[in-house]
């Protein structure tokens, strides 16, 4: 059975098409990522999956049910993108409030367990509003762990987290997946998060999927997965027609070769550029593995951070 | 039940830990009690002239009867009633400039009562037919040696009619009672032949202006919670709290029930604090204080409803809080919390007279508190005010809940 299946899902706000004909299938037990820049429609998609927004058109099945099915209240955990808890209550009081609303068994013990797991125990009696940024983020996530859901949906869990908190969260997630075979859907605009955590990633932009696959599939396995970037001190000369054999992108201070098997091609490239670009104007020469960012740029011509 | 309770506890903790809310609900009204208490605690209440109607039905002394006054004046005809009105109309407030009463004479009771209802006059003094005779009887009680032929014994009552919920009427009652007491006093002896009958037999106990303001201040305190309800209901939506709670087993009625219960508790905490503070400035606490809790309960329901409506009209918590204040403060003023505000009649079929501001819950609430607390009356003496307050509370709460459920308890 699929954990989530959407078909031609769309959401329109006035004249903004936030989600545009999105068809996704998330298998049970996988960690599925939605990677895309701000405004790509990730949160809107998540809110439709959780039944908080109803789609303009298209269909959704979550664990074989309609998203607003009451049965899902205990089997789906949801972490909103924004910090959502009462700032005037302490971390402990917030967790207890949600535990009671979720009808968690042995609520008190579970709350203590989570306070320790998310390293909030020392700060448990402080008003949530005065916790540090990382502590607030952790509390926001911890609330969704009160129940052990079959499907956990996290909207930008790593945004605003310091690297330590982030690592802690990834370890907790992995531990949880070892214990029970839960499905995780998360959104992110961070390449590292998607790359490190996800079994499969859908890259989204303007409400559409532009690429989908495992991170290594997306990056292009093996030899053609490298990038050569030559950074210049000044604008490159007119290279029109001279580099036609390559997938190349020329910007103001950079010449970027994509999908390159650098080891065998590098000598030829150096030879070609010799004479076209004076040696003094080359600031640096970088060879690196292709990232999901490059995949995004290749599809949209923009960077994820823009 | 457990979910309702934990949400209620959370709402209550949030209002108490929110410094701004705490200030507006508790500290600010206490400052008002202090300021008004210091200003008006002593004697002379108010300082604006009270328009009062006069129907003098005094038949005077019998033809040919005449007495010699202590000051040598001739006492005959309607001397007593005219003198009584003279004294009243010459009275001034403590500032020695403003007259307390501005008398307007009427030939018949009917015309006078019409003006009373329109609040062109705030009290109506009716001097009875046997006033002069009763005054002579009073003198005979004081001076047993004095005999007067042809003057029958008489007892009577001066009647003061008016709306018991008006500050001015209560002031008039206090003043007239005092003047009358002195008027029938000869030497050390206080005659009992002329009594003051206040419409509905209220026992006025020499109230100060501050005492008359206290009920308004108490309602003002409860109205100040409007901002908090409005702000909380909006921020729970805009900051995603309601959405997050909806993804638990919590139901909309748990959440709304918690808001309402928290409001009721808050009002129940404010009532004793406010009255205790007022008692420090001499406000008389009677057993009628129990009715204040009934009024507070209904006000809390109305405030919850209006707060939620205000929240529904705004996008963020700050705007909602301001809107709450923009609604609450004028409502306190229109209820006559601080000074008399005319309340135009909307609908009048004799026994049932609906006035425009009765549709704002604060107005019947203040009236009901004034009548019960200051005159030691029960809720059965204020059926109209009670009914209107109940009506307003149910009306506003229903509208608020309806808006909330339709707007926020479904997917969009
Ligand atoms: N409630 C809303 N009303 C109007 N526009 C909205 C609303 N929610 C989201 N949008 C718009 O939809 C687009 C997608 O938003 P969102 O799903 O939040 O993106 P992401 O989570 O990927 O950053 C944005 O252009 C955003 O401005
Ligand atoms: Mg988002």
């Amino acid at each position: 059975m699929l954990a989530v299946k959407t078909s031609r899902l769309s959401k329109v706000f006035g004249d903004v098409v936030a989600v545009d004909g999105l068809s996704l299938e998330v298998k049970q037990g996988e960690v599925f990522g939605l990677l895309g820049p701000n405004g790509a429609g990730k949160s809107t998609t998540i809110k439709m999956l959780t039944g908080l927004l109803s789609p303009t058109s298209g269909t959704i099945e979550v664990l074989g049910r309609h998203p607003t099915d009451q049965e899902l209240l205990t089997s789906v955990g949801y972490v909103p993108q924004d910090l959502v808890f009462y700032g005037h209550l302490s971390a402990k009081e917030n967790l207890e409030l949600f535990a009671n609303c979720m009808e968690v068994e042995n609520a008190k013990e579970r709350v203590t367990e989570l306070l320790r797991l998310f390293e909030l125990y020392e700060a448990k009696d402080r008003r949530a509003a005065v916790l540090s940024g990382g502590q607030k983020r952790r509390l926001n996530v911890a609330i969704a762990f009160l129940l052990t859901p079959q499907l956990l949906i996290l909207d930008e869990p790593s945004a605003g987290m310091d690297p330590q908190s982030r690592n802690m969260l990834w370890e907790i997630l992995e531990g949880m997946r070892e214990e029970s075979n839960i499905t995780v859907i998360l959104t992110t605009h961070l390449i590292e998060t998607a790359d490190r955590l996800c079994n499969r990633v859908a890259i989204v932009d303007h409400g559409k999927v532009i690429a989908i696959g495992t991170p290594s599939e997306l990056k292009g396995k093996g030899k053609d997965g490298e990038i050569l970037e030559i950074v210049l001190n000044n604008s490159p000369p007119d290279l029109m027609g001279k580099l036609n054999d390559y997938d190349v992108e020329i910007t103001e201070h950079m010449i970027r070769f994509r999908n390159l098997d650098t080891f065998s091609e590098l000598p030829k490239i150096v030879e070609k550029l010799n004479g076209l670009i004076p040696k003094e104007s080359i600031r640096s020469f970088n060879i690196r593995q292709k990232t999901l960012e490059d995949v995004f740029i290749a599809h949209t011509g923009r960077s994820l951070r823009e | 039940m457990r979910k309702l309770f934990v949400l209620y506890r959370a709402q209550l903790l949030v209002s108490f830990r929110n410094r701004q809310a705490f200030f507006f609900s508790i500290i600010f009204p206490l400052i008002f009690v202090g300021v008004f208490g210091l200003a008006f605690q002593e004697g002379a209440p108010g300082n604006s002239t009270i328009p009062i109607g006069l129907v003098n039905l005094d038949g005077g002394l019998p033809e040919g009867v005449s007495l010699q006054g202590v000051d040598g004046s001739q006492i005959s005809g309607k001397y007593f009633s005219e003198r009584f009105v003279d004294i009243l109309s010459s009275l001034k407030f403590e500032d020695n400039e403003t007259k307390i009463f501005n008398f307007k004479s009427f030939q018949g009771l009917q015309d006078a009562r019409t003006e009373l209802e329109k609040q062109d006059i705030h009290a109506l003094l009716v001097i009875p037919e046997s006033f002069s005779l009763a005054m002579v009887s009073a003198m005979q009680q004081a001076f047993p040696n004095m005999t007067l032929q042809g003057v029958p014994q008489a007892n009577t009552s001066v009647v003061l009619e008016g709306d018991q919920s008006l500050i001015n009427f209560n002031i008039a009652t206090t003043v007239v009672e005092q003047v009358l007491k002195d008027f029938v006093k000869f030497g050390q002896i206080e005659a009992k032949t002329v009594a003051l009958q206040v419409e509905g037999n209220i026992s006025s106990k020499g109230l100060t202006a501050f005492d008359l303001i206290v009920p308004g201040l108490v309602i003002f305190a409860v109205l100040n919670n409007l901002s908090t309800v409005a702000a909380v209901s909006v921020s729970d939506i805009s900051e995603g709290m309601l959405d997050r709670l909806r993804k638990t087993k919590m139901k909309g009625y748990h959440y709304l029930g918690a808001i309402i219960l928290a409001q009721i508790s808050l009002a129940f905490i404010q009532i004793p604090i406010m009255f205790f503070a007022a008692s420090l400035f001499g406000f008389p606490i009677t057993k009628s204080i129990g009715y204040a809790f009934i009024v507070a309960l209904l006000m809390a329901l109305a405030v919850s409803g209006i707060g939620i409506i205000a929240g529904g009209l705004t996008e963020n918590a700050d705007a909602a809080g301001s809107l709450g204040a923009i609604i609450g403060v004028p409502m306190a003023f229109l209820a006559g919390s601080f000074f008399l505000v005319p309340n135009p009649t909307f609908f009048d079929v004799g026994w049932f007279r609906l006035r425009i501001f009765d549709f704002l819950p604060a107005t019947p609430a203040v009236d009901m508190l004034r009548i019960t607390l200051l005159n030691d009356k029960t809720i059965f003496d204020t059926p109209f005010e009670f009914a209107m307050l109940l009506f307003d509370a149910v009306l506003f709460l229903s509208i608020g809940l309806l808006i909330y459920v339709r707007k926020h308890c479904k997917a969009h």
Side-chain angles (χ1 to χ4, degrees):
Chain A
M1 193 178 75
L2 291 170
V4 168
K5 179 180 160 64
T6 74
S7 82
R8 279 173 287 136
L9 190 61
S10 295
K11 181 72 187 180
V12 181
F13 296 109
D15 52 6
V16 179
V17 181
V19 176
D20 192 0
L22 202 69
S23 296
L24 291 175
E25 294 191 347
V26 180
K27 296 185 209 80
Q28 270 190 349
E30 74 177 337
V31 179
F32 187 89
L34 284 172
L35 174 67
N38 276 327
K42 304 182 296 294
S43 294
T44 307
T45 305
I46 294 296
K47 284 183 187 158
M48 288 192 284
L49 295 182
T50 51
L52 291 171
L53 282 176
S54 52
T56 309
S57 64
T59 59
I60 312 174
E61 264 183 43
V62 178
L63 303 173
R65 297 172 187 275
H66 189 268
T68 56
D69 194 319
Q70 298 292 299
E71 290 294 316
L72 295 180
L73 292 179
T74 46
S75 46
V76 178
Y78 164 54
V79 179
Q81 175 175 354
D82 300 324
L83 295 170
V84 180
F85 43 75
Y86 283 123
H88 289 295
L89 300 187
S90 69
K92 181 161 169 268
E93 287 167 335
N94 271 296
L95 282 167
E96 282 173 353
L97 171 66
F98 278 97
N100 279 301
C101 288
M102 291 171 178
E103 299 180 356
V104 174
E105 278 171 42
N106 300 325
K108 277 220 146 52
E109 290 79 49
R110 185 68 186 142
V111 167
T112 311
E113 219 170 86
L114 286 176
L115 285 169
R116 291 199 191 282
L117 186 63
F118 282 86
E119 293 182 14
L120 290 166
Y121 196 79
E122 305 294 304
K124 69 181 192 318
D125 294 320
R126 259 190 275 151
R127 290 196 307 120
V130 300
L131 294 176
S132 74
Q135 287 172 324
K136 284 181 189 165
R137 281 280 148 198
R138 268 145 40 203
L139 174 59
N140 200 40
V141 176
I143 293 168
F145 282 68
L146 282 162
L147 288 168
T148 310
Q150 277 172 263
L151 169 63
L152 187 59
I153 299 177
L154 305 111
D155 197 356
E156 303 270 4
S158 49
M161 272 198 185
D162 49 286
Q164 276 144 302
S165 297
R166 208 173 285 168
N167 278 332
M168 180 196 302
L169 176 59
W170 299 164
E171 275 163 28
I172 293 170
L173 267 179
E174 275 156 15
M176 201 169 168
R177 279 168 38 75
E178 273 165 29
E179 263 175 48
S180 55
N181 185 35
I182 67 163
T183 312
V184 177
I185 297 178
L186 59 87
T187 73
T188 183
H189 64 279
L190 300 175
I191 306 120
E192 300 78 28
T193 303
D195 218 351
R196 150 131 196 226
L197 233 67
C198 299
N199 305 129
R200 275 197 316 138
V201 175
I203 300 180
V204 289
D205 191 34
H206 296 306
K208 289 193 174 96
V209 175
I210 53 179
I212 190 165
T214 64
S216 51
E217 276 169 8
L218 287 170
K219 287 183 285 190
K221 273 171 285 189
K223 52 183 179 146
D224 290 345
E226 281 157 4
I227 303 268
L228 168 65
E229 284 170 346
I230 303 167
V231 183
L232 305 172
N233 284 324
N234 38 33
S235 309
D238 186 10
L239 297 169
M240 276 299 259
K242 297 192 173 106
L243 297 170
N244 279 350
D245 300 346
Y246 302 98
D247 179 356
V248 70
E249 180 196 355
I250 299 167
T251 58
E252 204 174 336
H253 286 289
M254 167 136 54
I255 306 170
R256 183 188 283 132
F257 293 80
R258 290 187 293 223
N259 302 323
L260 205 62
D261 177 0
T262 321
F263 189 75
S264 50
E265 299 290 336
L266 191 57
K268 289 180 222 163
I269 290 174
V270 173
E271 201 174 310
K272 276 207 167 168
L273 291 179
N274 201 1
L276 287 174
I277 301 170
K279 230 199 303 191
E280 316 80 73
S281 69
I282 296 180
R283 184 186 291 171
S284 71
F285 227 82
N286 306 322
I287 300 168
R288 58 174 175 82
Q289 277 292 316
K290 196 160 138 189
T291 66
L292 292 174
E293 168 103 32
D294 299 305
V295 180
F296 185 80
I297 293 170
H299 279 95
T300 65
R302 287 177 292 123
S303 140
L304 266 169
R305 276 177 270 275
E306 274 166 21
Chain B
M1 267 328 263
R2 176 133 194 95
K3 288 192 278 287
L4 178 65
F5 175 75
V6 292
L7 278 166
Y8 154 72
R9 204 181 71 114
Q11 289 288 347
L12 207 58
L13 284 176
V14 169
S15 357
F16 273 94
R17 290 183 191 166
N18 178 345
R19 269 191 226 153
Q20 201 180 330
F22 186 77
F23 177 81
F24 277 110
S25 299
I26 309 281
I27 308 296
F28 195 48
L30 282 179
I31 293 174
F32 268 63
V33 170
V35 169
F36 279 101
L38 290 174
F40 297 128
Q41 182 186 14
E42 297 295 327
N47 55 2
S48 66
T49 303
I50 301 168
I52 186 169
L54 171 68
V55 176
N56 192 349
L57 303 173
D58 185 16
L61 291 172
E63 203 90 23
V65 175
S66 140
L67 302 160
Q68 186 81 23
V70 205
D71 55 355
S73 58
Q74 272 310 111
I75 300 177
S76 64
K78 293 188 181 184
Y79 173 85
F80 283 114
S81 54
E82 279 160 4
R83 180 87 189 106
F84 181 56
V85 173
D86 278 351
I87 294 172
L88 284 174
S89 42
S90 65
L91 288 176
K92 286 180 177 158
F93 283 113
E94 267 186 350
D95 64 7
N96 249 327
E97 280 177 16
T98 319
K99 283 196 166 187
I100 297 183
F101 295 115
N102 178 21
F103 272 96
K104 181 170 179 186
S105 284
F106 294 90
Q107 290 307 316
L109 274 173
Q110 211 51 49
D111 292 348
R113 284 184 179 141
T114 308
E115 292 218 4
L116 191 61
E117 283 184 2
K118 286 193 290 183
Q119 293 186 354
D120 289 340
I121 51 174
H122 297 160
L124 172 61
L125 182 69
V126 184
I127 298 180
E129 190 174 354
S130 51
F131 185 78
S132 292
L133 299 181
M135 281 305 296
V136 174
S137 301
M139 289 171 76
Q140 285 178 323
Q141 267 181 13
F143 312 110
N145 296 341
M146 186 180 91
T147 49
L148 257 179
Q149 295 301 317
V151 183
Q153 281 285 321
N155 288 308
T156 194
S157 296
V158 168
V159 181
L160 195 63
E161 293 183 16
D163 181 344
Q164 301 163 34
S165 66
L166 291 185
I167 290 184
N168 276 356
F169 180 68
N170 283 277
I171 297 172
T173 310
T174 310
V175 175
V176 171
E177 184 174 53
Q178 194 56 50
V179 170
L180 186 63
K181 216 168 155 186
D182 292 340
F183 197 68
V184 295
K185 197 168 168 188
F186 302 93
Q188 291 305 307
I189 297 156
E190 205 177 293
K192 298 271 186 280
T193 57
V194 186
L196 176 66
Q197 182 194 329
V198 178
E199 180 220 42
N201 286 328
I202 348 170
S203 57
S204 110
K205 301 174 294 289
L207 298 168
T208 65
F210 174 67
D211 298 337
L212 299 170
I213 289 173
V214 169
L217 292 178
V218 170
I219 296 304
F220 173 67
V222 180
L223 278 175
N224 273 349
N225 305 342
L226 255 179
S227 290
T228 319
V229 194
V232 164
S233 68
V234 172
S235 63
D236 279 353
I237 294 160
S238 62
E239 289 163 20
M241 192 58 165
L242 193 66
D243 276 350
R244 191 160 203 183
L245 286 170
R246 275 170 54 206
K247 288 289 110 191
T248 70
K249 295 206 155 174
M250 182 213 77
K251 298 273 176 284
Y253 59 81
H254 291 131
Y255 177 77
L256 291 166
I259 288 195
I260 294 166
L261 281 181
Q263 279 305 307
I264 294 172
S265 308
L266 188 56
F268 278 17
I269 292 167
Q270 289 170 309
I271 294 286
I273 293 179
M274 289 294 285
F275 281 118
F276 174 73
S279 74
L280 299 179
F281 295 96
F283 181 81
I285 305 278
T286 64
K287 61 183 185 309
S288 306
I289 199 106
Y291 297 113
F293 287 92
I294 297 176
V295 173
L297 172 79
L298 294 174
M299 271 308 286
L301 296 183
V303 162
S304 306
I306 297 169
I308 292 171
I309 296 169
L313 298 173
T314 45
E315 293 294 319
N316 65 64
D318 284 346
S322 312
L323 186 61
I326 290 171
I327 296 172
V329 173
M331 207 184 273
F333 275 94
L334 291 179
S337 285
F338 310 114
F339 50 81
L340 177 82
V341 174
N343 190 353
T345 300
F346 176 65
F347 188 79
D348 191 349
V349 276
W351 59 274
F352 186 72
R353 188 164 53 89
L354 208 51
R355 296 162 310 167
I356 291 197
F357 300 144
D358 289 336
F359 287 104
L360 302 176
T363 306
V366 172
D367 288 354
M368 195 172 152
L369 276 187
R370 248 186 221 138
I371 295 169
T372 52
L373 297 187
L374 299 180
N375 302 305
D376 228 345
K377 295 237 167 173
T378 73
I379 199 163
F380 301 104
D381 297 303
T382 59
F384 174 77
E385 286 76 9
F386 178 69
M388 279 315 291
L389 179 56
L390 183 65
F391 173 81
D392 291 343
V394 171
L395 178 76
F396 285 109
L397 189 61
S398 312
I399 297 175
L401 296 187
L402 208 69
I403 290 178
Y404 209 80
V405 170
R406 292 195 69 171
K407 223 175 142 182
H408 304 298
C409 294
K410 295 192 182 78
H412 301 291

